[in-house]
mmCIF file of all heavy atoms in Angstrom:
data_model
loop_
_atom_site.group_PDB
_atom_site.id
_atom_site.type_symbol
_atom_site.label_atom_id
_atom_site.label_comp_id
_atom_site.label_asym_id
_atom_site.label_seq_id
_atom_site.Cartn_x
_atom_site.Cartn_y
_atom_site.Cartn_z
ATOM 1 N N GLN X 124 -14.829 -14.215 -3.630
ATOM 2 C CA GLN X 124 -14.460 -13.416 -2.551
ATOM 3 C C GLN X 124 -15.704 -12.701 -1.922
ATOM 4 O O GLN X 124 -15.699 -11.594 -1.627
ATOM 5 C CB GLN X 124 -13.463 -12.373 -2.963
ATOM 6 C CG GLN X 124 -12.081 -12.949 -3.198
ATOM 7 C CD GLN X 124 -11.275 -13.310 -1.971
ATOM 8 O OE1 GLN X 124 -11.838 -14.174 -1.208
ATOM 9 N NE2 GLN X 124 -10.166 -12.878 -1.785
ATOM 10 N N ARG X 125 -16.799 -13.548 -1.643
ATOM 11 C CA ARG X 125 -17.928 -12.884 -0.929
ATOM 12 C C ARG X 125 -17.606 -12.325 0.392
ATOM 13 O O ARG X 125 -16.822 -13.022 1.139
ATOM 14 C CB ARG X 125 -19.094 -13.967 -0.788
ATOM 15 C CG ARG X 125 -20.393 -13.463 -0.296
ATOM 16 C CD ARG X 125 -21.302 -14.690 -0.234
ATOM 17 N NE ARG X 125 -22.674 -14.269 -0.142
ATOM 18 C CZ ARG X 125 -23.784 -14.973 -0.380
ATOM 19 N NH1 ARG X 125 -23.582 -16.095 -0.958
ATOM 20 N NH2 ARG X 125 -24.934 -14.490 -0.209
ATOM 21 N N GLY X 126 -18.038 -11.160 0.733
ATOM 22 C CA GLY X 126 -17.790 -10.605 2.059
ATOM 23 C C GLY X 126 -16.348 -9.915 2.105
ATOM 24 O O GLY X 126 -16.058 -9.413 3.195
ATOM 25 N N TYR X 127 -15.640 -9.946 1.096
ATOM 26 C CA TYR X 127 -14.239 -9.356 1.111
ATOM 27 C C TYR X 127 -14.377 -7.881 0.920
ATOM 28 O O TYR X 127 -15.373 -7.303 0.428
ATOM 29 C CB TYR X 127 -13.498 -9.948 -0.096
ATOM 30 C CG TYR X 127 -12.013 -9.541 -0.003
ATOM 31 C CD1 TYR X 127 -11.017 -10.078 0.736
ATOM 32 C CD2 TYR X 127 -11.509 -8.547 -1.006
ATOM 33 C CE1 TYR X 127 -9.771 -9.711 0.812
ATOM 34 C CE2 TYR X 127 -10.161 -8.127 -1.044
ATOM 35 C CZ TYR X 127 -9.343 -8.720 -0.175
ATOM 36 O OH TYR X 127 -8.003 -8.316 -0.159
ATOM 37 N N THR X 128 -13.347 -7.101 1.436
ATOM 38 C CA THR X 128 -13.269 -5.627 1.314
ATOM 39 C C THR X 128 -11.928 -5.367 0.650
ATOM 40 O O THR X 128 -10.947 -5.736 0.989
ATOM 41 C CB THR X 128 -13.415 -4.972 2.646
ATOM 42 O OG1 THR X 128 -14.684 -5.212 3.159
ATOM 43 C CG2 THR X 128 -13.413 -3.456 2.417
ATOM 44 N N VAL X 129 -11.851 -4.544 -0.419
ATOM 45 C CA VAL X 129 -10.746 -4.082 -1.183
ATOM 46 C C VAL X 129 -10.176 -2.912 -0.511
ATOM 47 O O VAL X 129 -10.701 -1.976 -0.167
ATOM 48 C CB VAL X 129 -11.019 -3.668 -2.671
ATOM 49 C CG1 VAL X 129 -9.854 -3.089 -3.339
ATOM 50 C CG2 VAL X 129 -11.463 -4.996 -3.405
ATOM 51 N N GLY X 130 -8.870 -3.054 -0.060
ATOM 52 C CA GLY X 130 -8.166 -2.086 0.653
ATOM 53 C C GLY X 130 -7.947 -0.794 -0.068
ATOM 54 O O GLY X 130 -8.124 -0.643 -1.305
ATOM 55 N N VAL X 131 -7.638 0.349 0.597
ATOM 56 C CA VAL X 131 -7.746 1.598 0.047
ATOM 57 C C VAL X 131 -6.517 2.344 -0.282
ATOM 58 O O VAL X 131 -6.243 3.125 -1.183
ATOM 59 C CB VAL X 131 -8.622 2.526 0.991
ATOM 60 C CG1 VAL X 131 -7.867 2.968 2.174
ATOM 61 C CG2 VAL X 131 -9.245 3.751 0.243
ATOM 62 N N GLU X 132 -5.303 1.955 0.416
ATOM 63 C CA GLU X 132 -4.082 2.572 0.178
ATOM 64 C C GLU X 132 -3.403 1.809 -1.028
ATOM 65 O O GLU X 132 -2.730 0.829 -0.853
ATOM 66 C CB GLU X 132 -3.140 2.339 1.371
ATOM 67 C CG GLU X 132 -3.589 3.190 2.530
ATOM 68 C CD GLU X 132 -3.250 4.724 2.367
ATOM 69 O OE1 GLU X 132 -2.101 5.022 2.010
ATOM 70 O OE2 GLU X 132 -4.087 5.574 2.657
ATOM 71 N N ALA X 133 -3.722 2.234 -2.167
ATOM 72 C CA ALA X 133 -3.367 1.377 -3.324
ATOM 73 C C ALA X 133 -2.332 2.061 -4.300
ATOM 74 O O ALA X 133 -2.304 3.226 -4.439
ATOM 75 C CB ALA X 133 -4.611 1.146 -4.095
ATOM 76 N N ALA X 134 -1.543 1.065 -4.885
ATOM 77 C CA ALA X 134 -0.818 1.611 -6.070
ATOM 78 C C ALA X 134 -1.515 0.900 -7.344
ATOM 79 O O ALA X 134 -1.683 -0.238 -7.294
ATOM 80 C CB ALA X 134 0.607 0.922 -5.992
ATOM 81 N N ILE X 135 -1.900 1.837 -8.169
ATOM 82 C CA ILE X 135 -2.749 1.388 -9.424
ATOM 83 C C ILE X 135 -1.809 1.648 -10.559
ATOM 84 O O ILE X 135 -1.466 2.805 -11.003
ATOM 85 C CB ILE X 135 -3.941 2.283 -9.503
ATOM 86 C CG1 ILE X 135 -4.701 2.189 -8.094
ATOM 87 C CG2 ILE X 135 -4.808 1.703 -10.586
ATOM 88 C CD1 ILE X 135 -6.047 3.070 -8.170
ATOM 89 N N LEU X 136 -1.539 0.499 -11.371
ATOM 90 C CA LEU X 136 -0.686 0.653 -12.503
ATOM 91 C C LEU X 136 -1.256 -0.023 -13.746
ATOM 92 O O LEU X 136 -2.096 -1.005 -13.703
ATOM 93 C CB LEU X 136 0.575 -0.160 -12.183
ATOM 94 C CG LEU X 136 1.449 0.114 -10.944
ATOM 95 C CD1 LEU X 136 2.767 -0.581 -10.980
ATOM 96 C CD2 LEU X 136 1.776 1.615 -11.003
ATOM 97 N N LEU X 137 -1.041 0.542 -14.982
ATOM 98 C CA LEU X 137 -1.235 -0.016 -16.289
ATOM 99 C C LEU X 137 0.020 -0.579 -16.777
ATOM 100 O O LEU X 137 0.980 0.045 -16.796
ATOM 101 C CB LEU X 137 -1.816 1.060 -17.226
ATOM 102 C CG LEU X 137 -3.161 1.756 -16.749
ATOM 103 C CD1 LEU X 137 -3.432 2.819 -17.760
ATOM 104 C CD2 LEU X 137 -4.241 0.688 -16.584
ATOM 105 N N GLY X 138 -0.057 -1.805 -17.307
ATOM 106 C CA GLY X 138 1.010 -2.230 -18.228
ATOM 107 C C GLY X 138 2.047 -3.208 -17.470
ATOM 108 O O GLY X 138 2.821 -3.873 -18.041
ATOM 109 N N GLN X 139 1.897 -3.284 -16.171
ATOM 110 C CA GLN X 139 2.684 -4.266 -15.412
ATOM 111 C C GLN X 139 1.887 -4.940 -14.273
ATOM 112 O O GLN X 139 0.846 -4.347 -13.833
ATOM 113 C CB GLN X 139 3.889 -3.534 -14.619
ATOM 114 C CG GLN X 139 4.921 -2.911 -15.516
ATOM 115 C CD GLN X 139 5.763 -3.937 -16.259
ATOM 116 O OE1 GLN X 139 5.799 -5.087 -16.011
ATOM 117 N NE2 GLN X 139 6.592 -3.419 -17.249
ATOM 118 N N GLU X 140 2.332 -6.162 -13.890
ATOM 119 C CA GLU X 140 1.634 -6.896 -12.768
ATOM 120 C C GLU X 140 2.534 -6.717 -11.528
ATOM 121 O O GLU X 140 3.667 -7.079 -11.544
ATOM 122 C CB GLU X 140 1.436 -8.276 -13.201
ATOM 123 C CG GLU X 140 0.514 -8.930 -12.324
ATOM 124 C CD GLU X 140 1.106 -9.958 -11.388
ATOM 125 O OE1 GLU X 140 1.800 -10.910 -11.883
ATOM 126 O OE2 GLU X 140 0.843 -10.057 -10.327
ATOM 127 N N GLN X 141 1.897 -6.114 -10.489
ATOM 128 C CA GLN X 141 2.638 -6.016 -9.303
ATOM 129 C C GLN X 141 2.842 -7.206 -8.484
ATOM 130 O O GLN X 141 1.835 -7.848 -8.123
ATOM 131 C CB GLN X 141 2.065 -4.911 -8.417
ATOM 132 C CG GLN X 141 1.861 -3.519 -9.042
ATOM 133 C CD GLN X 141 1.127 -2.547 -8.274
ATOM 134 O OE1 GLN X 141 1.724 -1.886 -7.343
ATOM 135 N NE2 GLN X 141 -0.160 -2.208 -8.734
ATOM 136 N N ASP X 142 4.025 -7.642 -8.183
ATOM 137 C CA ASP X 142 4.231 -8.726 -7.174
ATOM 138 C C ASP X 142 4.674 -8.115 -5.758
ATOM 139 O O ASP X 142 4.978 -8.962 -4.838
ATOM 140 C CB ASP X 142 5.218 -9.606 -7.594
ATOM 141 C CG ASP X 142 4.746 -10.654 -8.875
ATOM 142 O OD1 ASP X 142 3.529 -10.856 -8.722
ATOM 143 O OD2 ASP X 142 5.462 -10.877 -9.741
ATOM 144 N N ALA X 143 4.796 -6.845 -5.702
ATOM 145 C CA ALA X 143 5.043 -6.046 -4.515
ATOM 146 C C ALA X 143 4.400 -4.787 -4.624
ATOM 147 O O ALA X 143 3.941 -4.387 -5.805
ATOM 148 C CB ALA X 143 6.528 -5.972 -4.244
ATOM 149 N N PHE X 144 4.129 -4.078 -3.544
ATOM 150 C CA PHE X 144 3.459 -2.763 -3.628
ATOM 151 C C PHE X 144 4.266 -1.865 -4.516
ATOM 152 O O PHE X 144 5.389 -1.408 -4.160
ATOM 153 C CB PHE X 144 3.348 -2.248 -2.223
ATOM 154 C CG PHE X 144 2.605 -0.937 -2.140
ATOM 155 C CD1 PHE X 144 1.179 -0.959 -2.345
ATOM 156 C CD2 PHE X 144 3.110 0.259 -1.764
ATOM 157 C CE1 PHE X 144 0.394 0.238 -2.253
ATOM 158 C CE2 PHE X 144 2.411 1.336 -1.780
ATOM 159 C CZ PHE X 144 1.018 1.339 -1.922
ATOM 160 N N GLY X 145 3.667 -1.460 -5.650
ATOM 161 C CA GLY X 145 4.316 -0.514 -6.617
ATOM 162 C C GLY X 145 5.535 -1.073 -7.343
ATOM 163 O O GLY X 145 6.256 -0.338 -7.990
ATOM 164 N N GLY X 146 5.725 -2.421 -7.284
ATOM 165 C CA GLY X 146 6.928 -2.988 -8.007
ATOM 166 C C GLY X 146 6.871 -4.460 -8.088
ATOM 167 O O GLY X 146 5.838 -5.052 -8.097
ATOM 168 N N GLY X 147 8.044 -5.045 -8.048
ATOM 169 C CA GLY X 147 8.127 -6.561 -8.238
ATOM 170 C C GLY X 147 7.688 -6.960 -9.635
ATOM 171 O O GLY X 147 6.967 -8.028 -9.719
ATOM 172 N N PHE X 148 8.073 -6.333 -10.727
ATOM 173 C CA PHE X 148 7.502 -6.774 -12.017
ATOM 174 C C PHE X 148 8.251 -7.985 -12.630
ATOM 175 O O PHE X 148 9.445 -8.055 -12.452
ATOM 176 C CB PHE X 148 7.629 -5.482 -13.001
ATOM 177 C CG PHE X 148 7.104 -4.212 -12.397
ATOM 178 C CD1 PHE X 148 7.741 -3.123 -12.752
ATOM 179 C CD2 PHE X 148 5.893 -4.250 -11.747
ATOM 180 C CE1 PHE X 148 7.203 -1.838 -12.203
ATOM 181 C CE2 PHE X 148 5.330 -3.084 -11.244
ATOM 182 C CZ PHE X 148 6.041 -1.846 -11.519
ATOM 183 N N ASP X 149 7.543 -8.667 -13.469
ATOM 184 C CA ASP X 149 8.055 -9.641 -14.224
ATOM 185 C C ASP X 149 7.720 -9.085 -15.691
ATOM 186 O O ASP X 149 6.642 -8.986 -16.174
ATOM 187 C CB ASP X 149 7.352 -11.028 -14.057
ATOM 188 C CG ASP X 149 7.796 -12.142 -15.108
ATOM 189 O OD1 ASP X 149 8.474 -11.790 -16.136
ATOM 190 O OD2 ASP X 149 7.392 -13.288 -14.920
ATOM 191 N N VAL X 150 8.979 -8.835 -16.461
ATOM 192 C CA VAL X 150 8.689 -8.258 -17.846
ATOM 193 C C VAL X 150 7.920 -9.187 -18.781
ATOM 194 O O VAL X 150 7.213 -8.703 -19.702
ATOM 195 C CB VAL X 150 10.039 -7.943 -18.510
ATOM 196 C CG1 VAL X 150 10.803 -6.748 -17.739
ATOM 197 C CG2 VAL X 150 10.935 -9.148 -18.662
ATOM 198 N N TYR X 151 7.895 -10.402 -18.465
ATOM 199 C CA TYR X 151 7.161 -11.406 -19.331
ATOM 200 C C TYR X 151 5.635 -11.448 -18.913
ATOM 201 O O TYR X 151 4.848 -12.161 -19.523
ATOM 202 C CB TYR X 151 7.760 -12.702 -19.435
ATOM 203 C CG TYR X 151 9.126 -12.659 -20.067
ATOM 204 C CD1 TYR X 151 10.220 -12.572 -19.346
ATOM 205 C CD2 TYR X 151 9.120 -12.406 -21.434
ATOM 206 C CE1 TYR X 151 11.514 -12.451 -19.981
ATOM 207 C CE2 TYR X 151 10.407 -12.325 -22.116
ATOM 208 C CZ TYR X 151 11.509 -12.268 -21.279
ATOM 209 O OH TYR X 151 12.778 -12.123 -21.864
ATOM 210 N N ASN X 152 5.241 -10.643 -18.054
ATOM 211 C CA ASN X 152 3.807 -10.320 -17.786
ATOM 212 C C ASN X 152 3.395 -8.820 -18.093
ATOM 213 O O ASN X 152 2.375 -8.422 -17.764
ATOM 214 C CB ASN X 152 3.471 -10.484 -16.348
ATOM 215 C CG ASN X 152 3.330 -11.954 -15.892
ATOM 216 O OD1 ASN X 152 3.181 -12.784 -16.871
ATOM 217 N ND2 ASN X 152 3.539 -12.278 -14.674
ATOM 218 N N SER X 153 4.386 -8.127 -18.899
ATOM 219 C CA SER X 153 4.126 -6.698 -19.145
ATOM 220 C C SER X 153 3.236 -6.574 -20.413
ATOM 221 O O SER X 153 3.274 -7.548 -21.275
ATOM 222 C CB SER X 153 5.502 -6.000 -19.499
ATOM 223 O OG SER X 153 6.097 -6.585 -20.542
ATOM 224 N N PHE X 154 2.595 -5.503 -20.545
ATOM 225 C CA PHE X 154 1.802 -5.273 -21.691
ATOM 226 C C PHE X 154 2.542 -4.404 -22.730
ATOM 227 O O PHE X 154 3.354 -3.588 -22.414
ATOM 228 C CB PHE X 154 0.496 -4.345 -21.201
ATOM 229 C CG PHE X 154 -0.381 -4.005 -22.380
ATOM 230 C CD1 PHE X 154 -1.189 -4.982 -22.821
ATOM 231 C CD2 PHE X 154 -0.260 -2.735 -22.975
ATOM 232 C CE1 PHE X 154 -1.989 -4.599 -24.054
ATOM 233 C CE2 PHE X 154 -1.101 -2.376 -24.066
ATOM 234 C CZ PHE X 154 -2.008 -3.278 -24.478
ATOM 235 N N SER X 155 2.311 -4.873 -23.912
ATOM 236 C CA SER X 155 2.876 -4.130 -25.088
ATOM 237 C C SER X 155 1.806 -3.947 -26.121
ATOM 238 O O SER X 155 1.063 -4.945 -26.555
ATOM 239 C CB SER X 155 4.021 -4.937 -25.636
ATOM 240 O OG SER X 155 4.401 -4.467 -26.943
ATOM 241 N N GLY X 156 1.642 -2.650 -26.571
ATOM 242 C CA GLY X 156 0.467 -2.444 -27.397
ATOM 243 C C GLY X 156 -0.132 -1.071 -26.976
ATOM 244 O O GLY X 156 0.511 -0.163 -26.560
ATOM 245 N N GLU X 157 -1.570 -0.978 -27.186
ATOM 246 C CA GLU X 157 -2.238 0.310 -26.991
ATOM 247 C C GLU X 157 -3.340 0.129 -25.916
ATOM 248 O O GLU X 157 -4.004 -0.835 -26.028
ATOM 249 C CB GLU X 157 -2.836 0.812 -28.347
ATOM 250 C CG GLU X 157 -1.707 1.037 -29.331
ATOM 251 C CD GLU X 157 -2.239 1.788 -30.584
ATOM 252 O OE1 GLU X 157 -3.336 2.410 -30.502
ATOM 253 O OE2 GLU X 157 -1.578 1.847 -31.582
ATOM 254 N N LEU X 158 -3.423 1.040 -25.128
ATOM 255 C CA LEU X 158 -4.548 1.052 -23.912
ATOM 256 C C LEU X 158 -5.301 2.285 -24.019
ATOM 257 O O LEU X 158 -4.706 3.396 -24.222
ATOM 258 C CB LEU X 158 -3.835 0.848 -22.627
ATOM 259 C CG LEU X 158 -3.475 -0.550 -22.137
ATOM 260 C CD1 LEU X 158 -2.990 -0.351 -20.754
ATOM 261 C CD2 LEU X 158 -4.591 -1.469 -22.229
#
């Protein structure tokens, strides 16, 4: 992604993968353990 810019209005989460802003989780991509 040369030349790309990362947007600023962000939802930042640990333990889930967002498929929508702040949500849209698939439990089989969830983290289990220690961070």
Side-chain angles (χ1 to χ4, degrees):
Q124 291 286 55
R125 188 175 192 164
Y127 186 78
T128 300
V129 171
V131 75
E132 292 284 315
I135 308 175
L136 306 187
L137 301 177
Q139 296 285 352
E140 197 250 309
Q141 302 176 75
D142 285 327
F144 185 72
F148 309 140
D149 172 351
V150 292
Y151 293 102
N152 285 337
S153 65
F154 178 77
S155 166
E157 305 191 12
L158 281 182

